[in-house]
């Protein structure tokens, strides 16, 4: 099993839709969790940190489920500009390796 | 504040050549890392460093060397380039391993 797994998609959704992605991780000692956004041929950029209590920023909500070892990202009222690849990153704890998932491609359709 | 700077942005090599990809950060970050990104493969960790003088292997270290003689610089060296190393390479840094990473613009490397 890969250390971090994501559904590669693509997720094709209409404008205004709500869409959710999950990211599962195998290292139960992981302490830090982040969602990044990557536009085509660009560098990844931090979207949100994921805390145990959840984290909301406008239309974006990130949550952590330690028992089932996954993090989630919810996007409400999708915009065309949300089209990108969303990457999750887990690490810390007992390991210094920061491992990414393969990314989930979101395509918001007009 | 430049953040993470990678050079060169583009490079074409012949099989068997060696070269060094440069990475520098001006944020006094402890943690630095190198990733490669291939279509459909996501970001794969090559090497990482938790501080000056300390480096370790990531998921795909074969064919690459790194060094961390200063906090600011973390060069990645390709020992003998192979076509399988054609990829986009990203350098990243963070204040600590538990903090979010900042990425450079990437180096697009083609090996013929």
């Amino acid at each position: 099993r890969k250390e971090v797994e994501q559904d590669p998609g693509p997720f094709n959704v209409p404008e205004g839709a709500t869409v959710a992605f999950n990211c599962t991780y195998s290292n139960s000692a992981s302490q830090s969790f982040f969602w990044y956004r990557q536009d085509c041929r660009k560098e990844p950029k931090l979207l949100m940190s994921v805390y145990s209590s959840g984290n909301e920023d406008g239309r974006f909500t990130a949550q952590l489920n330690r028992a089932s070892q996954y993090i989630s990202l919810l996007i409400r009222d999708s915009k065309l500009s949300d089209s990108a690849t969303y990457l999750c990153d887990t690490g810390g704890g007992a390991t210094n390796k920061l491992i990414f998932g393969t990314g989930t491609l979101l395509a918001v359709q007009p | 504040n430049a953040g993470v700077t990678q050079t060169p942005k583009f490079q074409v090599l012949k099989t068997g050549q060696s070269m060094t990809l440069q990475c520098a950060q001006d944020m006094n970050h402890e943690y630095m890392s190198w990733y490669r990104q291939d279509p459909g493969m996501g970001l794969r960790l090559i090497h990482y460093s938790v501080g000056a003088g300390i480096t370790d292997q990531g998921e795909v270290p074969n064919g690459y060397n790194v060094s961390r003689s200063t906090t600011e610089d973390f060069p990645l060296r390709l020992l003998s380039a192979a076509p399988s190393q054609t990829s986009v390479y990203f350098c990243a840094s963070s204040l600590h391993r538990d903090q979010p990473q900042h990425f450079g613009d990437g180096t697009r490397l083609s090996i013929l």
Side-chain angles (χ1 to χ4, degrees):
Chain A
R1 180 184 174 186
K2 293 186 67 174
E3 289 192 54
V4 181
E5 295 195 63
Q6 292 184 255
D7 182 343
F11 284 58
N12 295 302
V13 303
E15 272 188 291
T18 295
V19 61
F21 314 131
N22 284 344
C23 170
T24 59
Y25 61 94
S26 60
N27 185 356
S28 60
S30 294
Q31 295 293 328
S32 57
F33 307 91
F34 305 100
W35 283 104
Y36 294 79
R37 173 195 168 120
Q38 185 177 28
D39 294 299
C40 188
R41 299 180 66 80
K42 298 282 192 178
E43 75 278 16
K45 293 184 179 179
L46 178 69
L47 178 66
M48 298 182 75
S49 301
V50 188
Y51 307 119
S52 296
S53 57
N55 188 17
E56 183 172 327
D57 182 5
R59 298 182 293 110
F60 299 83
T61 300
Q63 293 191 314
L64 167 63
N65 185 319
R66 283 197 183 273
S68 300
Q69 294 186 201
Y70 72 88
I71 62 173
S72 64
L73 177 67
L74 180 77
I75 305 175
R76 290 179 296 276
D77 189 22
S78 300
K79 311 290 185 190
L80 293 175
S81 57
D82 293 334
S83 297
T85 296
Y86 291 84
L87 297 154
C88 62
D89 170 17
T90 75
T95 176
N96 288 318
K97 293 184 182 180
L98 300 182
I99 303 296
F100 280 86
T102 54
T104 296
L105 178 62
L106 171 65
V108 180
Q109 315 287 341
Chain B
N1 192 338
V4 180
T5 302
Q6 288 185 238
T7 56
K9 294 197 184 309
F10 303 92
Q11 184 70 49
V12 179
L13 292 178
K14 294 181 180 178
T15 296
Q17 287 185 311
S18 63
M19 82 159 292
T20 300
L21 308 186
Q22 301 292 344
C23 176
Q25 53 90 9
D26 60 0
M27 298 173 282
N28 201 30
H29 284 174
E30 285 185 354
Y31 190 96
M32 296 187 75
S33 54
W34 276 102
Y35 295 88
R36 61 176 289 175
Q37 187 172 38
D38 304 296
M41 298 293 288
L43 291 164
R44 291 186 290 170
L45 181 65
I46 304 172
H47 286 284
Y48 63 97
S49 169
V50 298
I54 306 170
T55 64
D56 207 343
Q57 296 181 347
E59 302 171 280
V60 289
N62 292 340
Y64 307 95
N65 274 354
V66 292
S67 59
R68 184 97 181 266
S69 56
T70 66
T71 298
E72 294 79 19
D73 300 298
F74 190 44
L76 177 72
R77 184 167 178 81
L78 277 70
L79 307 173
S80 177
S84 61
Q85 293 178 306
T86 293
S87 190
V88 180
Y89 291 84
F90 288 104
C91 178
S93 74
S94 60
L95 187 61
H96 185 266
R97 68 180 188 191
D98 291 333
Q99 297 297 312
Q101 298 191 76
H102 300 252
F103 285 83
D105 293 342
T107 294
R108 283 150 183 81
L109 181 63
S110 292
I111 299 161
L112 307 176

